[in-house]
Amino acid sequence: QGGLGIPDRDDYLSDDDRTVKLRTDYVNLIQTLFTLTSDDEATASKKANDILAFETSLAKNSLTRLELRDPFTTYNKMTVEDLQKLSPSINWKAYFTNIGLADLIEFNVGTTNFFKELSSVIEQTHIGQKSSRMPFKFVNVN
């Protein structure tokens, strides 16, 4: 699991004053960065909130710090084909080939729910195809 801009999954999910302020500050930072790349305030705000929603859905399916220490939870031996079935929106064979691991047979997927959700979120996320200034870019390697 990874790809979260805020360090801990609980910071996306808790409603105490500190984490609410942290999320607000994070959205404001992202909005400012988009504004600096010439987006208007409304567009920058929408993109920043979309990013927070994207990351929050991943955080909901991330393991807690305690769960990450549990070897029974994080040991999930799989083949590339198993991972492809778990998260079909990502072309894992092409990914492993591109990073020099084409011959990979089995490996451990420590956070299966995260990858299942990532695949789902990729399927459901509509990125502004008309804009060259996308908040993130998915490379279609199919």
Side-chain angles (χ1 to χ4, degrees):
Q1 66 191 36
L4 302 178
I6 299 174
D8 189 77
R9 72 172 289 280
D10 292 338
D11 292 334
Y12 287 90
L13 308 176
S14 297
D15 286 328
D16 61 89
D17 291 342
R18 184 192 70 80
T19 55
V20 170
K21 182 178 178 349
L22 179 66
R23 288 192 302 271
T24 301
D25 290 347
Y26 182 57
V27 168
N28 289 338
L29 171 65
I30 296 169
Q31 181 177 342
T32 299
L33 294 174
F34 280 123
T35 302
L36 291 172
T37 63
S38 71
D39 280 337
D40 61 70
E41 286 289 324
T43 302
S45 177
K46 180 176 180 346
K47 286 181 179 181
N49 283 293
D50 287 349
I51 288 172
L52 181 66
F54 183 92
E55 292 181 14
T56 299
S57 68
L58 295 178
K60 287 178 182 174
N61 288 279
S62 296
L63 297 177
T64 65
R65 290 180 188 182
L66 181 61
E67 291 168 329
L68 284 169
R69 292 192 297 262
D70 180 357
F72 296 105
T73 301
T74 58
Y75 185 74
N76 304 289
K77 190 173 175 182
M78 293 187 172
T79 64
V80 175
E81 292 77 20
D82 293 335
L83 183 57
Q84 191 64 58
K85 289 176 189 169
L86 180 73
S87 55
S89 297
I90 303 164
N91 185 334
W92 291 106
K93 187 173 179 101
Y95 171 76
F96 288 122
T97 298
N98 287 336
I99 64 168
L101 296 172
D103 298 328
L104 187 67
I105 296 172
E106 289 183 323
F107 54 97
N108 181 44
V109 179
T111 54
T112 55
N113 285 341
F114 178 85
F115 285 105
K116 195 182 305 184
E117 178 65 12
L118 177 60
S119 183
S120 176
V121 170
I122 288 171
E123 280 293 317
Q124 297 169 17
T125 301
H126 301 287
I127 299 172
Q129 298 297 329
K130 296 178 185 174
S131 171
S132 61
R133 296 182 310 270
M134 293 188 275
F136 34 76
K137 182 178 180 183
F138 295 116
V139 178
N140 185 355
V141 290
N142 287 327

